[in-house]
Amino acid sequence: MKVIELDLTGCKYWSELHERIKKAFGFPEWYGKNWDAFWDCIVDLATGSKPLNIEIIGLDILERKFGEDESSILLKCLKRAKYRADGIFANLMKIEIVGGDKRIEIQ
């Protein structure tokens, strides 16, 4: 299983947020650094043949710095991609929010 760790700790700027996303997920150079581009790339990744375990660290920082809407969009895109991937490949994508010693799996 491929583990993708998106660490948002200390993220301060919109451009930095999407640069971290691009790096963590291994998105191509042409990644547009916006939520539409994220959706396009995450669907391609999620519907690939390898199982994914996505760990998001510091989601609370995203909410505080950029607002709840931004964290909500991120999670909504991931949930929709998971649903799409599960429909094709059955349970190949796992999403976890990591904070301190807690892990919460997103269904």
Side-chain angles (χ1 to χ4, degrees), residues 20 32 105:
R20 288 183 187 208
E105 186 171 351

Side-chain angles (χ1 to χ4, degrees), residues 1-12:
M1 178 174 283
K2 179 178 180 179
V3 176
I4 297 172
E5 183 180 283
L6 175 58
D7 188 350
L8 301 173
T9 306
C11 187
K12 296 179 182 177

